[in-house]
Every structure is written in structure tokens, then in C-alpha cells.
Amino acid sequence: MEFLPPKIDAYAVSHSQQEPELLQELSRETWLKVLAPRMLSGHFQGRVLSMLSKLIAPRYILEIGTYTGYSALCLAEGMASNGELHTIDNNEELYTLQRKYFDKSGWGAQIIQHTGEALEILPKLKQSFDLVFIDADKINYPNYLEMLLPKLSKGAVILSDNVLWSGKVVASVAEDDADTKALITYNKLLNTHPRLETVLLPIRDGLTISRVID
């Protein structure tokens, strides 16, 4: 679903920071070789992620849903010089492609890949994260939030992708549409949770920024 007229969308992209060459290369390879390339964050959203990370200047970043590594590299642009980025994905076939671009970026030693189910990996991570990006299986978004909040201190930021879900969150929901139901629950939880303040931005398929307030 397009939330902006194509000309306005193109104008916004053309008046935003240029996409770095490494990310252009990764985008091309993703579209050539990987299934479902639309899952890629892409130029505009990637620059949004980069800007937010630079404003936050996080030491510890967590990403749930690596795909080919595009969004991780955008988030790494704002990471502290002594920071770490932990990224989780259950598709082991993408590990080598991710590592190729992580190492080419200069942040390779600081980006730690975890392969497997996030619900099993999260309890093993002992860090308190400053910035979290959630872009994985939608049905587990509420579960990820429940597991993450104890790991987040005051001021930490959670970024949640695909929260508009092609507009399905404001349409009639089919009885068997578990993903949309989970996202509706998740969006309400972000907006009403006593530890969070939240704003939902209609960027691409919806990007929520939530800040821990206590």
C-alpha cells in the first residue's frame, strides 16, 4: 500500500541523504539473489534508521530480523565507537551474505550475528540495549516486547517496522489472520504501556518509535 502519492514519495527520497554505495551494492545483490526482496528496508527508510541511530548514539543495539543486513548497517552508522550490534535471524542461508557486507562496512567486528529463533536467543543476551529494531515475524511482536522491556533502561528506544501492515490494521480482519491481530494488539500495547511513550509514523509500511520513560 502506498501511503503517499508517488510524486511526493519520490520528492521526499530525492531530498533525503543519498544512499551509501555499500548499501546500494547490498540492495542490488538482494534483489538479484534473495527471495522476497521487498523485505529490504530500502533507501528512504534506511536513511531514517540511520538518522535516528545517530541522534541516539547507542552503545548497544539489538535487531530482531536481519534479512540481508541492510537495516543493521544503517543502525550501525550511529553506533558508539566501542559499541556492539546484535542481530537475530532464523534463516541460516543468509548468514554468509550478511557477514560479507558487515565485514566490508568496517563494523564487522562489532556486529554479532545470532541464528535461530529470537524467543530462544533473547533470554541469553545479558546486555541492556539502548536501541532496538523489531522487523521479524509479526505474530511474535507482543512476545518480543514482553521479553525486551526488562533489558531496557530509561531512555532506550524501540523501533518497530510494518506496524501498518499494508493498511490491514484498519480494515476488517479475517478470523485466521493471526499476524494482523497480533499487530493490532502490539500497536495498542505500545500506545498504552506505562513504561513507554510512542509515536507511529506512516513511513513505508509504518514505523513506530517508542521511548522507555522509566
Side-chain angles (χ1 to χ4, degrees):
M1 174 175 287
E2 298 290 344
F3 293 104
L4 287 174
K7 287 185 179 180
I8 295 296
D9 186 68
Y11 186 87
V13 171
S14 68
H15 287 77
S16 298
Q17 185 193 33
Q18 200 169 22
E19 185 181 32
E21 288 186 12
L22 180 66
L23 294 180
Q24 293 179 36
E25 183 183 341
L26 172 54
S27 181
R28 285 193 296 269
E29 186 164 355
T30 299
W31 279 89
L32 283 171
K33 299 180 179 179
V34 183
L35 292 174
R38 286 178 60 84
M39 291 172 58
L40 200 74
S41 288
H43 175 190
F44 185 69
Q45 182 169 327
R47 293 304 86 204
V48 173
L49 296 178
S50 169
M51 179 67 77
L52 290 171
S53 185
K54 288 170 182 173
L55 291 170
I56 297 163
R59 181 174 181 185
Y60 292 110
I61 303 173
L62 172 66
E63 178 183 56
I64 304 176
T66 316
Y67 191 47
T68 57
Y70 189 104
S71 53
L73 291 172
C74 294
L75 295 169
E77 292 178 29
M79 181 171 56
S81 59
N82 61 345
E84 289 181 354
L85 189 155
H86 292 257
T87 184
I88 304 171
D89 202 278
N90 64 2
N91 188 346
E92 61 184 23
E93 294 180 359
L94 293 176
Y95 185 96
T96 301
L97 178 60
Q98 297 161 5
R99 178 46 55 188
K100 170 185 171 181
Y101 283 91
F102 292 161
D103 288 342
K104 290 178 72 170
S105 73
W107 295 296
Q110 295 169 266
I111 300 178
I112 301 161
Q113 294 162 276
H114 302 270
T115 303
E117 298 300 326
L119 292 176
E120 298 174 6
I121 292 169
L122 286 173
K124 302 174 184 177
L125 301 179
K126 304 305 179 185
Q127 293 85 351
S128 178
F129 293 98
D130 309 302
L131 176 61
V132 177
F133 181 48
I134 304 175
D135 185 14
D137 52 327
K138 311 312 167 191
I139 197 168
N140 275 314
Y141 271 33
N143 296 326
Y144 294 146
L145 182 65
E146 182 181 350
M147 298 184 78
L148 283 169
L149 280 174
K151 298 178 180 293
L152 304 181
S153 301
K154 183 177 180 179
V157 172
I158 304 169
L159 305 176
S160 309
D161 199 16
N162 303 119
V163 291
L164 292 178
W165 207 223
S166 298
K168 293 179 183 178
V169 292
V170 293
S172 298
V173 182
E175 188 61 34
D176 61 350
D177 190 348
D179 286 334
T180 301
K181 289 180 179 180
L183 281 170
I184 290 171
T185 297
Y186 180 72
N187 290 340
K188 183 176 181 180
L189 185 57
L190 289 180
N191 194 42
T192 59
H193 198 287
R195 288 195 65 202
L196 299 173
E197 58 182 1
T198 291
V199 60
L200 194 161
L201 305 176
I203 294 173
R204 286 194 74 213
D205 198 23
L207 179 70
T208 296
I209 305 173
S210 304
R211 177 175 172 271
V212 179
I213 58 177
D214 72 4

